[in-house]
Amino acid sequence: MPSKPSTCYECDANCPIEVELDEAGEPTGIKGPDCPRCYAQIDRREHPQRLLYPLKRVGPKGSGEFERISWDTALDTIAERLQAIRAEQGAPSVAFFAGYTKEARPQLQRLAHAFGSPNYLTESGCCFSATMVAEKVTFGYKVKTTSTVVSPKTRCHLVWSTNPRGSIPPFDQHPLANIRTASLGEDGPSRRMIVVDPRRTPLAERADIHLQIRPGTDGALALGFHHLIFANGWQDQAFLDEWANGVEDFRNYVRAFDPARVAGICGVEESDLRAAAELFATTAPAQINLSPTSTVQHSNGFQNHRALILLSAVTGNLDREGGNRFFNDKVMPKPIELFDYCRAELPPRIGDEVYPVWTRYWPAGQSMLLPDCILDGRPQPVRALVAMGINTAMWPNSKRMEQALGALDFFVATDFFHNPATLQADIVLPAATNLERPALIAYPGCAYQGELRYRRAVVPPKGEARPDGEIFLELGVRLGMGDRFWQGDLEAAWAEAAEGIPEEIREEVYCNPNGVTVYADAIEELVEHGFLDADRLYRLRGFPTASGKVEFDSEELRAAGHDGLPVYREPAESPVSTPDMARDYPLVLTSGARTKFATHSQHQYLERMRRGLRDPLIEIHPEDAGGRGISDGTWVRVSSPRGAVRFLAQVTDRVKPGVVHCAHGWNHANVNELTDDRHLDPISGFPPFKSGLCQVEVDPEPI
């Protein structure tokens, strides 16, 4: 049976695959990693509900009433409407949004800025970017990206709310999921492990210590670690003397976070806190294993994350082999997004007005402000939207986002399937899947090593679907900018991006189905200067921060009007900060735990994936379930001040008493209809998806 090489794009790991084809060239099977997402690719392509033709809405918004139109009609209509809105209200009133897939981001961003709008937005307005910005402000380098790469030299892991079995391919086979710990009495080399998580994950069950914190109190717990480290003299004082800015003020601040107070805030045993801090601080080298979102999707998440990552600095584990390594830039494609033009020539982006630290580091506007822009005209008015892979479930208080989309003068979306967002659109365009589109892929990899590869389409698009990138290039042509958009040729766009790859490896990037490994120059530079251990890059380059050192007290944050220290604040909604609200909504609501059977909302249409996850589940502790008459398998009504959603109860002691966890990404049971959109993090603009309040009751309505 013939086959062609490709890459999977059911998440952004870009695992290599082989696509088996029949005699007619149609895909019949996938050979790749043992991952349920991998095998779902053909299911998506062949799904009977997949969008295959351009559609125009003919009924009321949200009605689902559409009629088929031609591509020419669709593209001409979009171009005419965008030009009219630009003429009447200005180019910035048109926003451009990129969700999944991410591969066509360069073409969409180029379209936004060439059109004259600075307001290119992405799903990173609530995912990953806040961890990156917090790390850049504090260290000048990213560390999250490398934090789940396991080093043989690590002796202690501090796993902070990440669960590789559900979130990091290859899931059950990930090295972090199979750490041999002394507490299990296993033979062979062993490590020590501390897990911080409101849920008792499989990794927590293997840990020496599990700190089952109340969601949103990560900052207090981290500051409690710091208190004990300084109080016991466990800090790396030589590193701090040479490379720390503001450490004395920080040390004075953490004196207030004594073990008894922190244990009370976080809901953990004081003895476990003391033991965990000592284990981490005295078992070197130690590595903190981080999540892209768990610590930052709170109303004070940015500072919480800073408090946490500073543990690596205070113990001298920063950029040390076995500790938390810096992520170093490698060879990358040439930027074709026109972002430099945007910064130099276009008006401020959405978010520049309120989150200037975040927008200084992130090349987009803050998408969490989009409902305010549409409904209230603040901080900027938005009247039209061009979106790729958008779903209202990505926004807190999602019904308000749905209302906002319905209030737009014009809205166009590309996608594989309808969802609550596309039902509000004026025109919906069918997107090609990763098997049907080419892409130049730059996979960031680990600290010093990355990968470049060119993926070709292995099968033609079904129906009249087109690659998202091609759609945006063609819109550029219809808007009279053909020369700037390669006359609609997607392969030509990728070829220009490939000009940024050194000529000596460019051909191999295109021809080698396994891709080309590329390296950062940092290791070479270290060795050339006699640092044969090839770590602690700061010995050569220092820290690219405001002070040139690790920012315990951030000058950059102070200049922007924020606390320079990683000050802890209670979640905006909690039993402590809002006791009146807690009388009606007494349970702490968290969400977003990952599973290998779903990437957000992308897989709920696919039966193969639904077999692994049939229903939207809420995990509730037996103590909380019993008094409410809830048993395992009961349909319940979960409510907050924003609304109510139905979930299926899973009664389990995996969650902390007083805390419930709801699955995310279900269109018909969207937990983010309940989450708070009014208390975004003041530095990043991130929503508090993972710490709010709710009530849970038996649902009286029949299924």
Side-chain angles (χ1 to χ4, degrees):
M1 182 178 293
S3 66
K4 291 184 179 180
S6 187
T7 60
C8 178
Y9 199 75
E10 298 305 305
C11 66
D12 57 6
N14 285 296
C15 298
I17 59 172
E18 285 286 326
V19 182
E20 297 175 330
L21 307 169
D22 63 18
E23 293 181 358
E26 287 296 307
T28 58
I30 302 282
K31 288 183 177 178
D34 185 18
C35 167
R37 301 178 190 178
C38 175
Y39 306 123
Q41 295 172 87
I42 295 177
D43 298 354
R44 171 180 286 112
R45 184 175 188 266
E46 306 296 334
H47 199 281
Q49 291 181 305
R50 182 183 169 190
L51 299 171
L52 297 176
Y53 304 97
L55 300 173
K56 176 184 177 181
R57 183 176 49 78
V58 294
K61 292 185 178 183
S63 67
E65 297 174 23
F66 290 86
E67 68 177 14
R68 180 177 168 181
I69 57 176
S70 70
W71 271 104
D72 280 338
T73 298
L75 293 170
D76 285 342
T77 301
I78 295 166
E80 289 168 7
R81 293 297 304 277
L82 295 183
Q83 287 173 315
I85 292 168
R86 178 173 60 184
E88 293 169 5
Q89 304 183 61
S93 70
V94 181
F96 297 75
F97 174 82
Y100 275 79
T101 65
K102 299 180 183 179
E103 288 179 349
R105 281 183 172 190
Q107 290 83 10
L108 180 60
Q109 186 167 11
R110 186 181 184 90
L111 178 63
H113 300 332
F115 179 79
S117 176
N119 290 325
Y120 165 75
L121 315 167
T122 77
E123 49 78 37
S124 298
C126 66
C127 180
F128 170 69
S129 62
T131 62
M132 184 275 278
V133 177
E135 291 159 10
K136 296 280 272 189
V137 165
T138 307
F139 299 146
Y141 293 97
K142 295 184 286 185
V143 293
K144 184 275 144 198
T145 308
T146 61
S147 73
T148 52
V149 178
V150 175
S151 166
K153 292 191 176 181
T154 303
R155 302 272 40 93
C156 181
H157 290 268
L158 175 54
V159 183
W160 207 292
S161 293
T162 190
N163 175 28
R165 290 183 186 274
S167 61
I168 314 173
F171 304 113
D172 299 281
Q173 285 76 48
H174 192 281
L176 190 57
N178 293 285
I179 291 171
R180 307 171 69 87
T181 57
S183 63
L184 296 177
E186 295 172 328
D187 296 330
S190 65
R191 305 163 184 236
R192 309 307 298 273
M193 182 165 61
I194 305 150
V195 171
V196 178
D197 203 303
R199 302 167 70 244
R200 194 179 72 248
T201 63
L203 206 57
E205 292 177 341
R206 299 175 63 87
D208 296 279
I209 302 169
H210 175 203
L211 297 172
Q212 195 170 20
I213 63 169
R214 173 166 60 92
T217 62
D218 307 76
L221 184 63
L223 295 170
F225 270 57
H226 285 289
H227 173 102
L228 287 164
I229 289 168
F230 283 117
N232 289 281
W234 295 327
Q235 73 273 20
D236 186 334
Q237 194 61 47
F239 173 83
L240 296 177
D241 288 343
E242 185 173 1
W243 295 110
N245 178 57
V247 73
E248 283 308 310
D249 286 342
F250 176 76
R251 185 171 184 168
N252 288 334
Y253 177 66
V254 303
R255 285 195 176 100
F257 288 84
D258 59 87
R261 180 190 176 203
V262 170
I265 291 171
C266 300
V268 299
E269 293 294 328
E270 182 179 338
S271 58
D272 288 341
L273 169 60
R274 289 180 178 275
E278 181 174 5
L279 184 59
F280 172 75
T282 62
T283 312
Q287 182 189 47
I288 310 171
N289 308 111
L290 299 161
S291 160
T293 60
S294 294
T295 53
V296 292
Q297 288 179 341
H298 304 278
S299 57
N300 193 40
F302 192 95
Q303 296 285 32
N304 287 351
H305 191 72
R306 290 188 65 236
L308 163 58
I309 60 175
L310 282 167
L311 287 170
S312 185
V314 81
T315 53
N317 284 300
L318 191 57
D319 202 37
R320 187 183 290 271
E321 184 58 33
N324 282 92
R325 303 303 303 270
F326 294 153
F327 176 85
N328 293 277
D329 293 332
K330 297 98 181 170
V331 170
M332 293 290 285
K334 170 185 171 182
I336 60 172
E337 298 91 343
L338 299 181
F339 182 59
D340 287 344
Y341 168 77
C342 171
R343 284 192 295 192
E345 303 294 337
L346 298 182
R349 290 166 280 156
I350 292 169
D352 279 339
E353 309 90 341
V354 283
Y355 307 117
V357 173
W358 183 85
T359 57
R360 186 177 304 140
Y361 289 91
W362 195 255
Q366 178 40 280
S367 53
M368 294 297 98
L369 295 173
L370 192 53
D372 291 341
C373 292
I374 298 169
L375 296 173
D376 303 330
R378 60 179 177 85
Q380 300 182 31
V382 168
R383 299 311 314 151
L385 178 65
V386 177
M388 167 179 68
I390 190 172
N391 192 322
T392 55
M394 200 193 84
W395 275 265
N397 194 7
S398 301
K399 285 296 185 183
R400 186 167 183 266
M401 178 58 178
E402 191 173 322
Q403 177 191 357
L405 294 179
L408 286 165
D409 295 337
F410 185 65
F411 172 31
V412 57
T414 67
D415 218 311
F416 304 129
F417 299 97
H418 274 305
N419 66 55
T422 66
L423 295 180
Q424 300 294 327
D426 297 287
I427 291 180
V428 180
L429 302 175
T433 72
N434 61 293
L435 300 180
E436 303 165 339
R437 65 176 188 258
L440 179 60
I441 298 167
Y443 186 64
C446 61
Y448 297 105
Q449 181 177 311
E451 187 177 271
L452 296 170
R453 125 179 334 115
Y454 191 77
R455 188 193 66 227
R456 290 178 168 81
V458 296
V459 290
K462 293 279 288 186
E464 294 182 6
R466 294 185 183 181
D468 299 273
E470 180 182 308
I471 295 169
F472 304 137
L473 296 183
E474 182 57 34
L475 277 174
V477 174
R478 304 279 171 137
L479 288 164
M481 300 181 289
D483 289 345
R484 301 180 76 182
F485 285 84
W486 302 277
Q487 302 302 334
D489 186 342
L490 182 57
E491 297 268 11
W494 289 130
E496 180 158 332
E499 291 175 5
I501 301 170
E503 196 171 343
E504 60 268 22
I505 64 170
R506 195 181 308 158
E507 184 177 352
E508 188 180 0
V509 169
Y510 269 78
C511 298
N512 187 342
N514 296 316
V516 177
T517 301
V518 292
Y519 299 92
D521 60 7
I523 287 184
E524 233 173 77
E525 189 179 347
L526 281 163
V527 173
E528 284 175 1
H529 285 79
F531 298 111
L532 301 183
D533 43 21
D535 65 4
R536 288 165 287 168
L537 184 61
Y538 54 81
R539 294 177 293 178
L540 279 180
R541 300 182 181 176
F543 291 89
T545 60
S547 66
K549 298 181 178 183
V550 173
E551 294 276 82
F552 282 81
D553 190 348
S554 170
E555 296 177 11
E556 184 173 4
L557 291 179
R558 285 190 182 279
H562 301 294
D563 292 309
L565 296 172
V567 170
Y568 172 71
R569 289 185 173 84
E570 265 291 312
E573 291 183 2
S574 83
V576 177
S577 59
T578 53
D580 290 343
M581 182 186 294
R583 279 193 282 272
D584 294 325
Y585 303 100
L587 297 172
V588 175
L589 170 64
T590 193
S591 67
R594 305 300 191 248
T595 165
K596 63 183 178 182
F597 297 106
T599 303
H600 306 305
S601 65
Q602 292 180 63
H603 293 109
Q604 61 183 246
Y605 294 94
L606 308 179
E607 177 58 28
R608 181 193 303 268
M609 304 298 273
R610 289 293 294 273
R611 288 198 293 268
L613 199 64
R614 281 288 180 191
D615 296 297
L617 299 177
I618 177 173
E619 294 176 336
I620 184 170
H621 193 275
E623 291 178 14
D624 299 313
R628 291 171 169 81
I630 297 169
S631 57
D632 207 46
T634 302
W635 283 97
V636 298
R637 180 180 183 271
V638 185
S639 59
S640 81
R642 270 73 56 184
V645 180
R646 298 175 76 244
F647 286 87
L648 186 67
Q650 186 173 44
V651 180
T652 174
D653 63 1
R654 285 199 300 268
V655 291
K656 188 178 182 65
V659 175
V660 295
H661 173 272
C662 288
H664 78 295
W666 292 81
N667 286 335
H668 68 280
N670 173 15
V671 66
N672 284 333
E673 292 180 16
L674 308 178
T675 52
D676 176 16
D677 61 337
R678 290 307 184 196
H679 295 96
L680 305 183
D681 183 282
I683 303 173
S684 69
F686 268 43
F689 286 150
K690 300 192 185 304
S691 51
L693 291 175
C694 74
Q695 177 59 289
V696 181
E697 305 162 291
V698 173
D699 191 338
E701 298 296 323
I703 300 299

